Amino acid sequence: MPEALTVRRLSLAFSGLRAVDDLSFEVCEGSVCGLIGPNGAGKTTILNCLTRIATPDAGAVSVFGEDLLARPVHALAGLGVMRTFQNLELFSELTALDNVAMGCAAGHRAGWAAELLGLPAARRAREIAYARAEETLAALGLQAVGDRVVADLPFGTQKSVELARALVARPRLLMMDEPAAGMNTAESAALGRAIRDLARERGMTILLVEHDMGLVMSACDRIVVVVQGRRIAEGTPQEIRADRQVIEAYLGQAAA
Amino acid sequence: MRTVLPALAAVASALTAPLFLGPYGHYLLCMAAIYAMVALSLGLLLGLGGQISIGHAGFWAVGAYGSAILVQKLALPFLLSLLASGLLAGLVGLLVALPALRVRGHYLAIATLGFSLVIVHILYEWDGLTGGRQGMFVSRPSLFGHELGSDFQAYYLILAVLALFVWIVVNLRRSLGGLSLSALRLSDVAAQSCGVNRAGATLFVFALSAAITGVSGAFYGAILGQLSTDSFTLVVSLSFLTMAIVGGLNSVVGALLGGIFLAYAPEVLRAFEQWQMFIYGALLVAFMHFLPDGLASLPRRLARIGRRGDA
């Protein structure tokens, strides 16, 4: 299968500390790849490099054959790349529906001039974006909270709204930063099934940064293990489970 | 219906109010509508876009002097000079927005303040064009060659332009572009990840806000009949912010109330002249603390208190 995401020799240092150190890996289209590692391993920094929020010192990233580092952060949505955030980055004062509509707003907009003049094109764009947002909320069982301000919603619901905001854009590559944080076992199992369905039924490519080993092992096709910004192992869940270095560096701690 | 009826009532009273007032009342109505444009532009910039400016007196000056010079020296018709002063102020707004791409909060406030001081200083020193210290005379507003000699006539032109601005601001607030500006204000990282071009949106909202304020400035000069740089000080920028916040940043109604406030407050406070800035400052703090959405949110607040009282 062709590669959706290719990361080549990526490096980023913060005042001498190597947060990402010569990291390479690739993710095949339609597969689920887990990115794991102990706290402070640099996972979120890697994700920020891959979404143009941080700029690496060296290396290359390509998404569906396009050079990602040559593009600004706001161009990623147009390439079909969406993400969720570790500590939630919702538009707190807006409703859940507004938040989700924002996920596909940029792709539908009619331009400032049409919007100032209230032209039919601008009104139609808004209707389409909101119709898609309603559809996506309903698909996640969230239709009841559409007109609620997101800041007033429980944490778990906010996470779902954020996922809906990423999904409404029908991304080809979805990056999720610790989606299972704060979930119980049943919720994280359901999330795992949902992630597998997105990959299998919609052909979506998913990069999953996660601490929840149960979720990673059950949902991922391949796993990349990172310690101190370096890749120490890569393979299928079975291979990773059996890898001595991984057990020492990471799983060992968790099991102990 | 709940919003249509009050809106109709507001339009009707704006149209008929001059019939019950004398010349000084007409002048105050003109000023209220002129200030309301500025409040509208600050609501756009600060309320929707989340970008502070304490330099709006600078854009006001660009519009006022720009229009006056075009009419006086180049004999441009007043309506065209309105358009030109909006474009000119919008262009200057683009320049001022450049620091906003890098800094925000206090730093942006200082950058906009610095800009307005520089603008006013340039206007003051540019004797040949602006009359410098003596100031300059400005012709009355005119419409297709007919001079609007009284403020009664001018008021309806100002009101029409204000209505145009209200219309575009309402359109913008209801559009995906308005949603994008809100998103950028609340989380610029997430908004950009959703495809919003932060630089483009910031430049746009600054330029639009400056352009509206520029047109307001053009009317101000023409109504006053003369211009001097004393009309564009820091105190004026701060009064603009006060009126925008007292009225309410997040609605058109708030902007209109803000304009009325700034036009009539000096009348009410005339006895306390030296204390005026102190009173504005106190009002600003009080409103931000107790009524952050301004007078426009008062009916909603009262309704909620009323309901609580019933229960």
Side-chain angles (χ1 to χ4, degrees):
Chain A
M1 241 185 283
E3 282 156 10
L5 172 69
T6 315
V7 180
R8 284 281 163 266
R9 310 206 62 172
L10 198 70
S11 292
L12 175 58
F14 294 120
S15 56
L17 175 76
R18 290 192 173 172
V20 186
D21 192 359
D22 206 22
L23 180 80
S24 298
F25 67 93
E26 54 277 323
V27 183
C28 290
E29 204 169 338
S31 74
V32 182
C33 176
L35 186 63
I36 65 171
N39 279 327
K43 303 181 298 288
T44 294
T45 307
I46 295 167
L47 212 57
N48 284 345
C49 285
L50 300 184
T51 49
R52 298 296 287 115
I53 289 167
T55 300
D57 299 327
V61 180
S62 71
V63 173
F64 306 111
E66 304 276 347
D67 178 7
L68 196 75
L69 299 181
R71 290 165 187 264
V73 50
H74 63 261
L76 267 62
L79 286 177
V81 181
M82 294 296 281
R83 70 168 290 180
T84 65
F85 295 84
Q86 188 179 358
N87 297 315
L88 290 179
E89 283 285 346
L90 284 165
F91 309 121
S92 56
E93 294 170 14
L94 303 182
T95 66
L97 190 63
D98 288 333
N99 268 272
V100 179
M102 206 41 233
C104 64
H108 289 297
R109 279 191 54 198
W112 294 114
E115 287 165 348
L116 288 180
L117 300 175
L119 296 185
R123 264 177 285 158
R124 213 163 34 236
R126 186 191 150 87
E127 279 161 24
I128 296 171
Y130 275 83
R132 281 179 64 175
E134 271 176 32
E135 216 173 90
T136 307
L137 274 179
L140 293 175
L142 295 169
Q143 57 273 52
V145 301
D147 56 1
R148 297 271 302 278
V149 172
V150 278
D152 299 338
L153 295 172
F155 183 72
T157 314
Q158 291 191 18
K159 294 206 93 159
S160 304
V161 171
E162 207 191 43
L163 180 61
R165 184 179 69 190
L167 290 179
V168 73
R170 297 181 195 134
R172 296 168 72 192
L173 172 60
L174 174 64
M175 306 197 202
M176 304 171 85
D177 199 352
E178 301 202 13
M183 284 188 178
N184 63 34
T185 329
E187 287 166 335
S188 100
L191 179 65
R193 284 192 297 278
I195 289 173
R196 289 239 49 97
D197 286 348
L198 287 173
R200 200 170 303 148
E201 284 163 23
R202 298 207 213 165
M204 204 179 284
T205 310
I206 294 166
L207 181 65
L208 181 64
V209 169
E210 188 48 75
H211 265 302
D212 182 330
M213 276 308 127
L215 174 61
V216 173
M217 292 297 169
S218 67
C220 295
D221 299 302
R222 295 189 76 78
I223 295 172
V224 175
V225 188
V226 178
V227 174
Q228 287 174 352
R230 296 185 75 90
R231 191 183 86 177
I232 63 160
E234 202 234 324
T236 63
Q238 287 77 13
E239 287 165 357
I240 294 300
R241 215 178 262 138
D243 191 296
R244 179 169 294 278
Q245 247 188 312
V246 175
I247 295 166
E248 261 173 36
Y250 184 55
L251 293 179
Q253 297 173 328
Chain B
M1 274 317 267
R2 277 176 93 185
T3 53
V4 171
L5 273 183
L8 278 178
V11 169
S13 42
L15 286 172
T16 55
L19 304 176
F20 306 104
L21 296 166
Y24 189 63
H26 297 153
Y27 165 76
L28 286 180
L29 280 178
C30 287
M31 292 313 294
I34 287 168
Y35 289 141
M37 291 179 196
V38 178
L40 205 58
S41 81
L42 278 172
L44 208 57
L45 186 69
L46 185 55
L48 192 61
Q51 307 273 353
I52 182 84
S53 162
I54 51 175
H56 259 50
F59 301 125
W60 216 41
V62 167
Y65 276 98
S67 163
I69 290 165
L70 287 172
V71 171
Q72 231 77 348
K73 314 245 151 153
L74 299 177
L76 211 66
F78 180 70
L79 274 189
L80 275 183
S81 86
L82 275 186
L83 189 67
S85 59
L87 288 175
L88 188 65
L91 218 59
V92 176
L94 275 184
L95 288 180
V96 178
L98 293 177
L101 300 181
R102 304 189 134 266
V103 299
R104 54 193 64 197
H106 303 319
Y107 300 102
L108 180 59
I110 290 167
T112 55
L113 168 64
F115 141 75
S116 70
L117 296 180
V118 168
I119 282 284
V120 171
H121 198 73
I122 291 173
L123 292 170
Y124 184 82
E125 293 292 332
W126 202 339
D127 255 324
L129 203 58
T130 66
R133 190 155 34 143
Q134 273 104 45
M136 68 185 292
F137 285 104
V138 187
S139 319
R140 291 290 307 171
S142 69
L143 196 56
F144 307 119
H146 301 288
E147 190 184 273
L148 305 176
S150 70
D151 288 342
F152 176 83
Q153 294 165 323
Y155 170 70
Y156 287 100
L157 176 61
I158 299 173
L159 201 60
V161 174
L162 175 62
L164 177 77
F165 288 148
V166 165
W167 180 68
I168 64 170
V169 168
V170 167
N171 283 339
L172 181 65
R173 281 185 183 273
R174 281 186 189 155
S175 72
L176 291 179
L179 183 66
S180 303
L181 288 169
S182 278
L184 215 45
R185 178 184 81 240
L186 297 166
S187 165
D188 65 352
V189 168
Q192 291 183 83
S193 297
C194 289
V196 179
N197 179 343
R198 186 172 94 85
T202 305
L203 291 173
F204 170 79
V205 75
F206 248 100
L208 181 62
S209 176
I212 293 175
T213 296
V215 171
S216 163
F219 276 121
Y220 172 73
I223 290 299
L224 221 58
Q226 57 179 25
L227 283 175
S228 86
T229 48
D230 293 343
S231 306
F232 306 99
T233 55
L234 170 63
V235 169
V236 173
S237 284
L238 293 177
S239 332
F240 284 169
L241 271 181
T242 306
M243 92 171 142
I245 288 168
V246 165
L249 285 171
N250 289 310
S251 68
V252 167
V253 176
L256 302 179
L257 292 175
I260 293 169
F261 165 82
L262 193 58
Y264 289 90
E267 304 300 307
V268 178
L269 301 175
R270 189 167 284 159
F272 310 94
E273 214 183 333
Q274 302 98 316
W275 292 90
Q276 198 169 311
M277 274 328 284
F278 176 80
I279 293 168
Y280 281 179
L283 274 175
L284 193 61
V285 172
F287 268 81
M288 291 206 295
H289 196 76
F290 297 109
L291 203 60
D293 287 326
L295 291 172
S297 66
L298 209 53
R300 197 164 14 104
R301 281 283 184 103
L302 291 176
R304 203 179 303 155
I305 292 166
R307 246 178 289 139
R308 215 177 292 153
D310 291 342

